[in-house]
Amino acid sequence: MMRRRGRALAGLAIGTAAMVALAGCTTSTPETGESGDTEGTTGGTISVAQTNAATALNSSTPDTNLNTNGMVDYLMGMGTGPGSFFYVDPEFNVVPDETNGTVELVSEDPLVVTYTLDPEAVWSDGTPMTTNDLLLSWAIQSGYYDDATFDEATGEVTEGNVYFQLAGSTSGLDTTEFPEIDAEAGTLTLTYGEPFVDWNLVNLITKPAHVFAEHAGFGSAEELATFLEETPAGDPAAPAEPNEQLTALAELWNTGYNITAMPEDEGLLVSAGMWVPKDFQADDGGFISFEPNPEWRGEMQPSFDELIIRFIGDPNAQITALQNGEVHVIEPQPSADTVSAIEAFGGTLIQGAQLSYDHLDLTMNSEVFSDPAVREAFLLTIPRQQILESIVTPVDPEAEVLNSQQFVANQPQYEDAVAANGYSDFAEPDIERATELLAGATPTVSILYNTANPNRVDAFQLIQASAAEAGFNVEDAGSPDWSSLLGSGGYDASIFGWISPGVGYASLPQIWQTGGGGNYNGYSNPEVDALADESQVTIGDEERITEIMIEIDRLSREDFYGLPLFQTPGLVATNGAVDGVVYNGGQTGAIWNTWEWTLAG
């Protein structure tokens, strides 16, 4: 599943020539026991700065699909990370984690997969894990109980019910039968009706059934499981009235894990991983802290007592906090000034490419962009090279404008995609052609972006000035709360970023299919829908998957979907107080291997 990078880019602004003049750090400092302790390799606190503030303890809904929320899930073993069935390493290998169970491919035709819990598997509150937990995860991810019909052009629900909101897609799991369960053996077996390309990435340790049972008014997790077993599958041909108990379960999933303060309900903090949330303060300047899971039995063990992720949007403030020892690790937006400032005080730089990119998306069903000629005209005004030179070139002089929505420049498929998709036709603005297409019209276009992110401010201002030359009136719809506004219909275009997990193909239906959980701009193309469907049942044929992705790339360009802007450079820096930090260009960032981190002696 692709994740939005939230405020993961916050760096060089136009005209900012003195970024080495470090700004004061105005963030709040959580209370810790031994925050400055560097004696030996056990005990103490390690603090990490992230640009994006966490907003939820669940990153898998359309509204919470942010990278920092994903890091929280990872640390808690919720759907990914140690404690779930697998995690992804920096080389984008899927690494099994058998702390709480195993996954076995029983049969390829038909596709049958068995999940087996370890007999000693336990949640952080001491409640044993059972097949009830696996069943709940399947129910959430499969859409088994949904009975909605959708508008083919917009993906909007026209009748019936969709219970659990997903940032991704039900593709694959939506073909499974009700699971075969052996509670005594601790196994749950899925039989797929069709092949599924990402079967090995389906993780059924996500949220605890006993917590959901309590919230939805069930007497126990066993009663919840019985309810799920006795409730018939949804039938779009005969939609039913909303099921009150399913609705109650879905409310917890959809919004119940959203947080603006430390939850009073300790059930929301229950973890499957090696870390458990300890404290939280919302927004820029806040933090989320973790303590070791007292029930953690994994071979990988943390060597320190507390992990703090501090939310510091300003890269200068991150550097100041690192230099002062207020944090030990930072992941600021790379810029020439950021790099030189870190080097100036002796910080350690760890740089690399990210599997992420910034892009401009046009809202296809907005009034102004319902006309493809206006979409084309607007894209012809986008100064992509100027945006690159303002934001990326100072860090990476070799960087080039990105010309694919499916691949980034360091992936082997990229050159073939560029040769076929036509995005390079928009290499430089063509104001004359854009003006011809508008034929005297002066359309108004509002753009949503993150006003707390200097890179996005830069991109917006450059686009605004260039588009005006062709007759567009570009309005500022930017907001620090931009992520919650995606898909709201209150704007005509958006500037933000996607970051890939580096494995699997779930992003194809997620972003590109009509009604997909990450399809925020109302894109709909029957050919693309069919290709996305085909991608999910194509097993063992990487060549065909690549063809599908390149074809989606081409079709999106022909539809004037929007434009890719640039691949995001990555940067991690430490102040020498922590050993074991390894760069990761995927979704989890530096915190992917906290079990290998130690406070330097």
Side-chain angles (χ1 to χ4, degrees), residues 281-367:
Q281 179 178 307
D283 302 325
D284 191 15
F287 63 90
I288 185 168
S289 64
F290 300 84
E291 59 189 355
N293 177 354
E295 302 291 343
W296 177 248
R297 302 171 301 105
E299 293 182 4
M300 301 173 290
Q301 294 284 338
S303 68
F304 52 101
D305 295 332
E306 184 179 31
L307 173 67
I308 301 171
I309 298 178
R310 296 184 59 191
F311 315 140
I312 306 178
D314 183 350
N316 291 340
Q318 284 199 27
I319 296 168
T320 299
L322 184 70
Q323 184 174 5
N324 293 343
E326 298 169 43
V327 299
H328 305 99
V329 183
I330 64 174
E331 294 194 68
Q333 163 60 37
S335 72
D337 294 325
T338 302
V339 170
S340 63
I342 294 169
E343 290 177 335
F345 78 84
T348 300
L349 293 166
I350 310 171
Q351 294 177 271
Q354 290 195 65
L355 285 186
S356 62
Y357 74 105
D358 267 31
H359 51 95
L360 169 76
D361 294 353
L362 307 188
T363 303
M364 309 296 282
N365 51 7
S366 75
E367 183 176 353

Side-chain angles (χ1 to χ4, degrees), residues 2-6 8-9 353-361 384 392 400-411 414 423 456 495-500 507 511-512 518 552-553 556 561-569 585:
M2 299 280 274
R3 293 203 193 282
R4 304 197 300 269
R5 284 186 292 108
L9 292 181
Q354 290 195 65
L355 285 186
S356 62
Y357 74 105
D358 267 31
H359 51 95
L360 169 76
D361 294 353
R384 296 199 294 157
V392 181
E400 298 181 354
V401 167
L402 189 68
N403 281 314
S404 173
Q405 300 270 16
Q406 300 296 329
F407 306 103
V408 289
N410 60 324
Q411 291 181 294
Y414 177 74
Y423 274 111
R456 305 277 161 72
I495 305 168
F496 67 104
W498 286 116
I499 182 165
S500 169
S507 65
I511 298 173
W512 301 101
I552 292 175
D553 226 10
S556 69
Y561 172 97
L563 287 175
L565 299 176
F566 54 82
Q567 182 178 1
T568 312

Side-chain angles (χ1 to χ4, degrees), residues 36-42 46 328 575-580 597-601:
D37 182 11
T38 58
E39 289 292 320
T41 57
T42 60
I46 293 178
H328 305 99
N575 57 10
V578 177
D579 294 327
W597 290 9
T598 58
L599 283 160

